Amino acid sequence: MKMSLKITPLLTVMLLAGCAVGPDYQRPTMAMPTHFKEAKGWTQATPQDANSKGEWWQVYHDATLNSLLKQVSISNQNVASYAAQYREAQALAGQSRAELLPSVGYDASSTRSGSRASTTGQRSVSNSHAADLSASWELDLWGKLRRTLEENNASAEASKAELANITLSAQSELAQDYFQLRIIDEKIALYQRSIDAYQRYLTVIQNKYAAGSESRATLAQAQMQLESARASAQDYQWQRAQMEHAIALLLGRAPADFSLPVAKLDAAMPAIPNSVPSQLLQRRPDIAYAERNVAAANAAVGVAIAGYYPDLTLSASGGVSSSAINSLFSLPNRVWSLGPELSGTLLDFGATSAKVEQARAAYDASVASYRQSVLTGMGEVEDYLVQLNTLQGEIASQQAATDAAQESARVTRNQYDAGMIDYLDVATTENSSLSAQQSLLSLQSTQWVSSVGLIAALGGGWQADAR
């Protein structure tokens, strides 16, 4: 008995310490360039999606956009769905944590049964009352439960990153839709000004035609130009309506319950940085999601390897049982049991080996997916950088072309009013001016959309510490 008392504490410590089979997690390494091809000074970073990104849209200084984007994380139904999945993943991790500790249960019953003797026909009735308290504890000798907890914790973190990714995606999509809608408003306004001008010209030409000083061909040309502008303006009207519907859905609202009044775009284009801090892709949630999946897959390998080893469970129970409830808790009616249970597999014809190999293959796949996510992220940043840098010069050239087209149209109008040229020349230069202005607005729309894309590609801004 004395030897047993000395060994038990030591055995308990050994059982509690245990060992965790399977590899400990190491973040996958990958050869990375130290800078971006399209921006000098951009350097490599590791994903740290937990860093605060703040309200990245504040860089545009647009009050309406600020108001809309704040609603995404609250009302967007896709975001709400992923938020619920994240809570589910957290609960699963909590369940795994609880499985490391003993569990205690209870059971109470009271029954009354009867029977009739076949020979005498006499009836007998008996009562049975019982109360039982039990406890069990699976000792994590090989780290199976700890690896499961590690896997579920990593999965919960991956779910959190996925929630951040879907939120950022919805926010950036809404911002892009908003800028496109505002540019459409400007295009509609441009066409309306052209329609007003064409209507004035048509009225003058109709009067001249009635007086016999203008040809039928000139009148038809003016009518065609006016109606063509009206058709184009109507085309932009349904495009605007669909963009407004898209914004409503991103806000979790029915299109019928949402409208965005026509207004001039009142935003500031953020300056594209020539260099950024070394925390390049640290806040991209999709990269963090892929990396956390690698950690979960690594832990799953340990869980699969633990299948080679037996499970040891300590259990104990105690209670009382009696036919009379008034004597249920008396000493003679006590019952108890105590003992360990060892369970394992002796022969499974390679099933456990197959599970281990499956887990290792899943880990390798998750590593490749993580590395591809990093490469994709770098490619997206490069694409937006070269696009935005090119657009700056392109917009400047298009602005110069637009100014020249407008001046040409002005001179031509003056010449027509002076009777020096035919209206066909006016129609040609007016169409050229309208087309140049439309092209300029389209380039500006692309610039706004690309700037949002760059912010999203960097995980929510390029500031070192967005608040």
Side-chain angles (χ1 to χ4, degrees), residues 257-332:
D257 298 331
F258 175 80
S259 64
L260 198 59
V262 175
K264 186 176 179 61
L265 179 58
D266 185 22
M269 176 66 67
I272 304 170
N274 293 322
S275 62
V276 296
S278 60
Q279 300 89 347
L280 174 58
L281 300 176
Q282 67 174 3
R283 291 173 296 193
R284 275 190 68 121
D286 59 334
I287 290 180
Y289 169 75
E291 188 271 333
R292 289 290 82 202
N293 279 335
V294 175
N298 181 83
V301 174
V303 174
I305 292 176
Y308 286 119
Y309 304 96
D311 298 329
L312 177 62
T313 303
L314 299 180
S315 60
S317 65
V320 290
S321 177
S322 174
S323 59
I325 195 168
N326 59 353
S327 61
L328 179 62
F329 294 97
S330 62
L331 185 61

Side-chain angles (χ1 to χ4, degrees), residues 3-325:
M3 182 179 294
S4 175
L5 290 174
K6 292 179 180 178
I7 293 177
T8 299
L10 178 61
L11 179 60
T12 301
V13 171
M14 292 176 62
L15 293 176
L16 289 175
C19 61
V21 296
D24 291 330
Y25 178 64
Q26 298 289 332
R27 176 173 290 161
T29 58
M30 132 178 228
M32 299 270 293
T34 58
H35 65 279
F36 274 103
K37 175 182 178 182
E38 303 297 340
K40 296 180 179 179
W42 292 59
T43 56
Q44 178 189 355
T46 56
Q48 297 175 357
D49 63 306
N51 283 14
S52 172
K53 299 178 244 331
E55 296 179 341
W56 55 264
W57 52 87
Q58 295 281 359
V59 297
Y60 292 103
H61 303 288
D62 188 303
T64 303
L65 180 64
N66 293 347
S67 175
L68 293 173
L69 286 178
K70 288 178 180 179
Q71 301 176 46
V72 171
S73 59
I74 300 172
S75 303
N76 184 277
Q77 296 306 301
N78 284 333
V79 173
S81 174
Y82 279 90
Q85 293 178 33
Y86 173 48
R87 295 199 308 271
E88 181 182 5
Q90 285 181 306
L92 182 60
Q95 178 183 339
S96 298
R97 191 174 298 107
E99 289 176 354
L100 289 169
L101 304 173
S103 63
V104 179
Y106 68 91
D107 181 43
S109 64
S110 180
T111 60
R112 181 178 177 85
S113 59
S115 63
R116 180 188 295 271
S118 59
T119 55
T120 63
Q122 185 177 1
R123 293 183 176 181
S124 62
V125 178
S126 62
N127 297 316
S128 177
H129 308 283
D132 194 34
L133 189 66
S134 62
S136 64
W137 186 13
E138 181 178 349
L139 299 179
D140 194 23
L141 296 178
W142 320 113
K144 176 182 178 181
L145 298 180
R146 278 169 288 161
R147 290 298 190 197
T148 300
L149 174 59
E150 182 182 334
E151 177 184 5
N152 290 335
N153 278 337
S155 295
E157 291 171 0
S159 181
K160 180 181 179 181
E162 194 172 26
L163 170 60
N165 189 48
I166 198 68
T167 303
L168 177 60
S169 177
Q171 290 170 340
S172 62
E173 184 178 350
L174 190 150
Q176 290 173 334
D177 289 348
Y178 173 79
F179 286 129
Q180 291 181 81
L181 182 143
R182 285 295 179 230
I183 293 297
I184 290 175
D185 282 343
E186 293 192 23
K187 288 183 176 181
I188 293 174
L190 173 61
Y191 268 107
Q192 190 57 53
R193 291 192 297 271
S194 297
I195 290 170
D196 293 341
Y198 296 159
Q199 182 64 65
R200 289 193 298 271
Y201 272 117
L202 179 60
T203 301
V204 172
I205 293 172
Q206 284 174 333
N207 292 334
K208 288 184 177 182
Y209 177 73
S213 62
E214 194 62 88
S215 67
R216 177 67 182 171
T218 300
L219 178 61
Q221 176 70 34
Q223 289 173 332
M224 182 274 293
Q225 190 174 37
L226 174 61
E227 295 305 326
S228 177
R230 284 175 174 168
S232 296
Q234 291 171 356
D235 187 67
Y236 281 118
Q237 289 288 355
W238 68 256
Q239 291 183 38
R240 186 194 193 279
Q242 289 189 344
M243 202 64 68
E244 191 178 63
H245 299 165
I247 292 174
L249 296 179
L250 288 167
L251 295 175
R253 300 170 65 178
D257 298 331
F258 175 80
S259 64
L260 198 59
V262 175
K264 186 176 179 61
L265 179 58
D266 185 22
M269 176 66 67
I272 304 170
N274 293 322
S275 62
V276 296
S278 60
Q279 300 89 347
L280 174 58
L281 300 176
Q282 67 174 3
R283 291 173 296 193
R284 275 190 68 121
D286 59 334
I287 290 180
Y289 169 75
E291 188 271 333
R292 289 290 82 202
N293 279 335
V294 175
N298 181 83
V301 174
V303 174
I305 292 176
Y308 286 119
Y309 304 96
D311 298 329
L312 177 62
T313 303
L314 299 180
S315 60
S317 65
V320 290
S321 177
S322 174
S323 59
I325 195 168

Side-chain angles (χ1 to χ4, degrees), residues 190-191 194 198 229 405 429-439:
L190 173 61
Y191 268 107
S194 297
Y198 296 159
T429 55
E430 287 287 354
N431 287 338
S432 296
S433 176
L434 178 60
S435 177
Q437 292 177 75
Q438 288 288 329
S439 297

